[in-house]
Amino acid sequence: MSEKNEDKKGAKEYSFFGQIFAAIWVGGWNAFQFTKDILNGTHIEVTDIIYSGIAIAACFSPVYVSILFDKIKAIRFGDKE
């Protein structure tokens, strides 16, 4: 293989970095909102915490689904990748 093929990144790598950025953005935004609520003397809703966790998990679900499909493909067709 040539060096150009080894240095080339695919869609999975860029997608993974995008999802990490999205998770950091969601986590950071929620941390800011929670801090603002605490400093204003209001309470944090439990549903806000739950929705924040779901949003962060949803950011990574494409990666998990892709890994799962790769495993199924490897089992089904005997691929070694």
Side-chain angles (χ1 to χ4, degrees):
M1 293 186 102
S2 68
E3 288 183 30
K4 287 186 178 182
N5 287 340
E6 291 176 6
D7 292 338
K8 195 174 189 181
K9 292 192 184 234
K12 283 186 182 180
E13 288 84 9
Y14 289 119
S15 175
F16 183 68
F17 290 124
Q19 291 163 359
I20 289 175
F21 176 77
I24 291 171
W25 179 266
V26 168
W29 181 258
N30 286 315
F32 171 72
Q33 291 294 327
F34 294 159
T35 303
K36 187 177 81 170
D37 287 345
I38 290 171
L39 293 176
N40 287 337
T42 60
H43 64 283
I44 300 170
E45 297 288 333
V46 173
T47 56
D48 291 342
I49 296 170
I50 292 170
Y51 290 148
S52 300
I54 291 171
I56 291 171
C59 290
F60 290 100
S61 64
V63 172
Y64 299 139
V65 171
S66 176
I67 291 170
L68 178 66
F69 284 158
D70 286 345
K71 298 291 182 187
I72 292 171
K73 179 183 161 190
I75 292 169
R76 174 84 168 113
F77 298 110
D79 294 339
K80 298 291 181 184
E81 296 181 336

